[in-house]
Short mmCIF file of all heavy atoms in Angstrom, two decimals:
data_model
loop_
_atom_site.label_atom_id
_atom_site.label_comp_id
_atom_site.label_asym_id
_atom_site.label_seq_id
_atom_site.Cartn_x
_atom_site.Cartn_y
_atom_site.Cartn_z
N HIS K 33 -97.00 -24.21 -114.40
CA HIS K 33 -95.81 -25.06 -114.25
C HIS K 33 -96.13 -26.50 -114.67
O HIS K 33 -95.62 -27.45 -114.08
CB HIS K 33 -95.32 -25.05 -112.80
CG HIS K 33 -94.98 -23.70 -112.30
ND1 HIS K 33 -93.84 -23.02 -112.68
CD2 HIS K 33 -95.63 -22.87 -111.45
CE1 HIS K 33 -93.81 -21.85 -112.08
NE2 HIS K 33 -94.88 -21.73 -111.33
N LYS K 34 -96.93 -26.63 -115.70
CA LYS K 34 -97.39 -27.95 -116.12
C LYS K 34 -96.25 -28.89 -116.53
O LYS K 34 -96.37 -30.11 -116.41
CB LYS K 34 -98.38 -27.79 -117.28
CG LYS K 34 -99.32 -28.93 -117.45
CD LYS K 34 -100.39 -28.58 -118.46
CE LYS K 34 -101.28 -29.78 -118.74
NZ LYS K 34 -102.27 -29.50 -119.75
N ALA K 35 -95.15 -28.34 -116.95
CA ALA K 35 -94.01 -29.16 -117.39
C ALA K 35 -92.89 -29.21 -116.35
O ALA K 35 -91.84 -29.78 -116.61
CB ALA K 35 -93.46 -28.62 -118.71
N ASP K 36 -93.09 -28.63 -115.17
CA ASP K 36 -92.04 -28.57 -114.15
C ASP K 36 -92.48 -29.34 -112.91
O ASP K 36 -93.22 -28.83 -112.07
CB ASP K 36 -91.75 -27.11 -113.80
CG ASP K 36 -90.55 -26.96 -112.88
OD1 ASP K 36 -90.06 -27.97 -112.34
OD2 ASP K 36 -90.09 -25.81 -112.69
N ALA K 37 -91.99 -30.58 -112.78
CA ALA K 37 -92.40 -31.47 -111.69
C ALA K 37 -92.08 -30.92 -110.30
O ALA K 37 -92.66 -31.38 -109.32
CB ALA K 37 -91.76 -32.84 -111.88
N ASP K 38 -91.19 -29.96 -110.19
CA ASP K 38 -90.89 -29.37 -108.89
C ASP K 38 -92.10 -28.68 -108.29
O ASP K 38 -92.15 -28.46 -107.07
CB ASP K 38 -89.74 -28.36 -109.00
CG ASP K 38 -88.39 -29.05 -109.21
OD1 ASP K 38 -88.30 -30.27 -108.98
OD2 ASP K 38 -87.44 -28.36 -109.61
N TYR K 39 -93.08 -28.32 -109.10
CA TYR K 39 -94.28 -27.62 -108.63
C TYR K 39 -95.48 -28.55 -108.48
O TYR K 39 -96.54 -28.12 -108.07
CB TYR K 39 -94.64 -26.48 -109.59
CG TYR K 39 -93.67 -25.33 -109.51
CD1 TYR K 39 -92.52 -25.32 -110.29
CD2 TYR K 39 -93.89 -24.27 -108.64
CE1 TYR K 39 -91.62 -24.27 -110.22
CE2 TYR K 39 -93.00 -23.21 -108.55
CZ TYR K 39 -91.86 -23.22 -109.35
OH TYR K 39 -90.98 -22.19 -109.27
N TRP K 40 -95.32 -29.80 -108.83
CA TRP K 40 -96.44 -30.74 -108.79
C TRP K 40 -96.67 -31.25 -107.38
O TRP K 40 -95.79 -31.24 -106.53
CB TRP K 40 -96.18 -31.92 -109.71
CG TRP K 40 -96.01 -31.57 -111.15
CD1 TRP K 40 -96.17 -30.35 -111.73
CD2 TRP K 40 -95.63 -32.45 -112.20
NE1 TRP K 40 -95.91 -30.43 -113.08
CE2 TRP K 40 -95.57 -31.71 -113.39
CE3 TRP K 40 -95.30 -33.81 -112.24
CZ2 TRP K 40 -95.24 -32.28 -114.62
CZ3 TRP K 40 -94.97 -34.38 -113.46
CH2 TRP K 40 -94.94 -33.61 -114.63
N ILE K 41 -97.88 -31.73 -107.16
CA ILE K 41 -98.26 -32.36 -105.91
C ILE K 41 -98.81 -33.74 -106.25
O ILE K 41 -99.68 -33.87 -107.12
CB ILE K 41 -99.29 -31.53 -105.14
CG1 ILE K 41 -98.67 -30.18 -104.75
CG2 ILE K 41 -99.81 -32.29 -103.94
CD1 ILE K 41 -99.63 -29.22 -104.11
N THR K 42 -98.29 -34.77 -105.58
CA THR K 42 -98.68 -36.14 -105.89
C THR K 42 -99.29 -36.81 -104.68
O THR K 42 -98.75 -36.74 -103.57
CB THR K 42 -97.46 -36.95 -106.35
OG1 THR K 42 -96.87 -36.30 -107.48
CG2 THR K 42 -97.84 -38.37 -106.73
N LEU K 43 -100.41 -37.47 -104.88
CA LEU K 43 -100.98 -38.38 -103.92
C LEU K 43 -100.69 -39.77 -104.47
O LEU K 43 -101.27 -40.15 -105.49
CB LEU K 43 -102.49 -38.18 -103.77
CG LEU K 43 -102.97 -36.95 -102.99
CD1 LEU K 43 -102.67 -35.66 -103.73
CD2 LEU K 43 -104.44 -37.06 -102.70
N PRO K 44 -99.73 -40.50 -103.89
CA PRO K 44 -99.32 -41.78 -104.48
C PRO K 44 -100.45 -42.79 -104.62
O PRO K 44 -100.50 -43.53 -105.59
CB PRO K 44 -98.26 -42.31 -103.50
CG PRO K 44 -97.82 -41.13 -102.71
CD PRO K 44 -98.97 -40.18 -102.69
N LEU K 45 -101.36 -42.80 -103.66
CA LEU K 45 -102.54 -43.66 -103.73
C LEU K 45 -103.75 -42.85 -103.28
O LEU K 45 -103.83 -42.42 -102.13
CB LEU K 45 -102.38 -44.88 -102.81
CG LEU K 45 -101.51 -46.01 -103.29
CD1 LEU K 45 -101.37 -47.08 -102.22
CD2 LEU K 45 -102.08 -46.62 -104.57
N ALA K 46 -104.68 -42.65 -104.18
CA ALA K 46 -105.88 -41.87 -103.86
C ALA K 46 -107.11 -42.59 -104.40
O ALA K 46 -107.08 -43.15 -105.49
CB ALA K 46 -105.78 -40.48 -104.47
N TYR K 47 -108.14 -42.56 -103.63
CA TYR K 47 -109.42 -43.12 -104.07
C TYR K 47 -110.42 -41.98 -104.25
O TYR K 47 -110.27 -40.91 -103.67
CB TYR K 47 -109.94 -44.18 -103.10
CG TYR K 47 -110.14 -43.68 -101.68
CD1 TYR K 47 -111.35 -43.15 -101.27
CD2 TYR K 47 -109.11 -43.76 -100.76
CE1 TYR K 47 -111.53 -42.69 -99.98
CE2 TYR K 47 -109.27 -43.31 -99.46
CZ TYR K 47 -110.48 -42.78 -99.07
OH TYR K 47 -110.65 -42.33 -97.80
N SER K 48 -111.40 -42.24 -105.07
CA SER K 48 -112.33 -41.19 -105.46
C SER K 48 -113.65 -41.28 -104.71
O SER K 48 -114.23 -42.36 -104.59
CB SER K 48 -112.61 -41.29 -106.96
OG SER K 48 -113.61 -40.38 -107.35
N GLU K 49 -114.10 -40.13 -104.23
CA GLU K 49 -115.46 -39.97 -103.72
C GLU K 49 -116.12 -38.96 -104.64
O GLU K 49 -115.66 -37.82 -104.74
CB GLU K 49 -115.45 -39.45 -102.28
CG GLU K 49 -114.83 -40.41 -101.29
CD GLU K 49 -114.75 -39.83 -99.89
OE1 GLU K 49 -114.97 -38.61 -99.72
OE2 GLU K 49 -114.44 -40.59 -98.97
N THR K 50 -117.14 -39.37 -105.34
CA THR K 50 -117.74 -38.52 -106.37
C THR K 50 -119.22 -38.30 -106.10
O THR K 50 -119.95 -39.24 -105.80
CB THR K 50 -117.56 -39.16 -107.76
OG1 THR K 50 -116.16 -39.31 -108.00
CG2 THR K 50 -118.17 -38.30 -108.84
N ASP K 51 -119.64 -37.05 -106.21
CA ASP K 51 -121.05 -36.68 -106.10
C ASP K 51 -121.42 -35.78 -107.27
O ASP K 51 -120.62 -34.94 -107.69
CB ASP K 51 -121.33 -35.97 -104.78
CG ASP K 51 -121.17 -36.90 -103.59
OD1 ASP K 51 -121.84 -37.95 -103.59
OD2 ASP K 51 -120.37 -36.58 -102.70
N LEU K 52 -122.60 -35.96 -107.78
CA LEU K 52 -123.08 -35.15 -108.89
C LEU K 52 -123.92 -34.00 -108.35
O LEU K 52 -124.69 -34.17 -107.41
CB LEU K 52 -123.92 -36.00 -109.84
CG LEU K 52 -123.27 -37.29 -110.33
CD1 LEU K 52 -124.23 -38.05 -111.23
CD2 LEU K 52 -121.97 -37.00 -111.04
N SER K 53 -123.77 -32.83 -108.95
CA SER K 53 -124.57 -31.66 -108.59
C SER K 53 -124.93 -30.96 -109.89
O SER K 53 -124.24 -30.03 -110.30
CB SER K 53 -123.78 -30.74 -107.66
OG SER K 53 -124.53 -29.58 -107.36
N TYR K 54 -125.96 -31.44 -110.53
CA TYR K 54 -126.33 -30.92 -111.84
C TYR K 54 -127.52 -29.98 -111.71
O TYR K 54 -128.63 -30.40 -111.44
CB TYR K 54 -126.67 -32.07 -112.80
CG TYR K 54 -125.49 -32.97 -113.13
CD1 TYR K 54 -125.68 -34.22 -113.65
CD2 TYR K 54 -124.18 -32.55 -112.94
CE1 TYR K 54 -124.61 -35.05 -113.98
CE2 TYR K 54 -123.10 -33.36 -113.26
CZ TYR K 54 -123.32 -34.61 -113.78
OH TYR K 54 -122.26 -35.42 -114.09
N SER K 55 -127.26 -28.71 -111.91
CA SER K 55 -128.31 -27.70 -111.89
C SER K 55 -128.78 -27.47 -113.32
O SER K 55 -127.96 -27.29 -114.23
CB SER K 55 -127.78 -26.37 -111.33
OG SER K 55 -127.39 -26.54 -109.99
N TYR K 56 -130.06 -27.45 -113.50
CA TYR K 56 -130.63 -27.23 -114.83
C TYR K 56 -131.30 -25.86 -114.83
O TYR K 56 -132.51 -25.74 -114.66
CB TYR K 56 -131.61 -28.36 -115.19
CG TYR K 56 -130.89 -29.67 -115.39
CD1 TYR K 56 -130.62 -30.52 -114.32
CD2 TYR K 56 -130.44 -30.03 -116.65
CE1 TYR K 56 -129.94 -31.70 -114.51
CE2 TYR K 56 -129.75 -31.22 -116.85
CZ TYR K 56 -129.50 -32.04 -115.77
OH TYR K 56 -128.83 -33.22 -115.96
N ASN K 57 -130.46 -24.83 -114.98
CA ASN K 57 -130.94 -23.45 -115.04
C ASN K 57 -129.93 -22.62 -115.81
O ASN K 57 -128.91 -23.14 -116.27
CB ASN K 57 -131.19 -22.89 -113.63
CG ASN K 57 -129.95 -22.89 -112.78
OD1 ASN K 57 -128.88 -22.48 -113.21
ND2 ASN K 57 -130.06 -23.36 -111.54
N ASN K 58 -130.19 -21.35 -115.95
CA ASN K 58 -129.30 -20.47 -116.69
C ASN K 58 -128.20 -19.86 -115.82
O ASN K 58 -127.36 -19.12 -116.32
CB ASN K 58 -130.09 -19.33 -117.33
CG ASN K 58 -130.99 -19.83 -118.44
OD1 ASN K 58 -130.68 -20.80 -119.10
ND2 ASN K 58 -132.13 -19.18 -118.61
N GLU K 59 -128.18 -20.15 -114.54
CA GLU K 59 -127.26 -19.51 -113.61
C GLU K 59 -126.07 -20.38 -113.21
O GLU K 59 -125.05 -19.85 -112.78
CB GLU K 59 -128.01 -19.10 -112.34
CG GLU K 59 -129.19 -18.17 -112.59
CD GLU K 59 -128.78 -16.86 -113.23
OE1 GLU K 59 -127.73 -16.30 -112.84
OE2 GLU K 59 -129.50 -16.41 -114.13
#
């Protein structure tokens, strides 16, 4: 429903908490 705003969810003001989890393997 990418073009239908009736299905969207909005956070009017949101801040980001970001953590990296980089695995260096084949799995």
